[in-house]
Amino acid sequence: MIPKPKSKKSQALIVEGGGMKGAFAGGALAAMCKYYPPKNFDLMLGVSAGSCSLAYYATEDEKKLISKKSILSIWRDELHKDKFISFKELIKLKRIMKREYIVDEIFREKYKILLEKFKQINFYITVSNLKTLVPNYIKVNSENFFEVLRSAISLPIATKGIHFLDDLFLSDGGIMDPIPIKTVIQKGYKDITLVLNHPRDYFSKPTHKLLSYLSFPKLKPIRDFLTHEHHVKYNEAKELILNPPKDVKVKIIDPKEDIGASMLTTNKKKLIRLIEHGWSEAEKIFSR
């Protein structure tokens, strides 16, 4: 469970998911590596794709700024390739997104994350518990990181949408708690920074029943949740963001222009524009 704040001045950071729209958060977090290092936050909480860039930010070396370079390089050079998202796989009736590529090749090998840093921070990843139908917030450490990340990015349809972690039956955290601001406020945090991959005034529509079926054809309770409750959870979070309690300060970094990118965008130019936009919006706030 998420820990309570150590003091009234404790700061929390939440990063929204959104598939390839997460390039915006990547740019924002890369800028924060430079201007507002992770030591400022007592709690960092990622959702879905937001967990990926946040993991690098959370483990940044303030002197070398290795993570800043890694975040930018990954989004610019690695994620537009067919080996991560390939629509050709549909012809073979396979899933189009390969978690193994991002987890094993990127995080484990090519852009190695500083696992030892997890000992020093409160970094949590949101996942959806498909058995209990409630979100779980898992504290990340050097031993569980890669498997928790697999759960967090188990995007329905694009992947099988399911991952087993010990005795837990998990999926993408964005299903059951897409923006966990309510949970963070309930824990007592009064100073919250949000990195959103959708504009702050964006509200979700109900998930179509066909899309819910394609996401989890054998799991009716999850299909019903997607159809009837997912958009409600998302919109409640947005209402809370726009109208927080009087004693809670919310700092929002969100897109101000439509780049025309979707959750499965593989267009390199669009991804780079999203990165640059995220950097620009974070720089406006934190360079001061």
Side-chain angles (χ1 to χ4, degrees), residues 52 55-56 59 107-108 111-116 118 145-146:
C52 298
Y56 282 102
T59 56
F107 277 86
R108 281 188 189 271
Y111 301 89
K112 291 183 179 180
I113 198 156
L114 301 176
L115 296 173
E116 65 276 7
F118 287 133
F145 170 66
F146 295 110

Side-chain angles (χ1 to χ4, degrees), residues 232-260:
V232 175
K233 296 284 186 182
Y234 186 89
N235 295 340
E236 284 178 348
K238 278 298 184 70
E239 289 287 356
L240 188 54
I241 290 167
L242 297 175
N243 301 284
K246 291 182 179 180
D247 61 340
V248 175
K249 179 174 68 175
V250 178
K251 187 186 287 99
I252 307 171
I253 305 168
D254 64 328
K256 301 299 190 299
E257 59 180 278
D258 185 5
I259 306 297

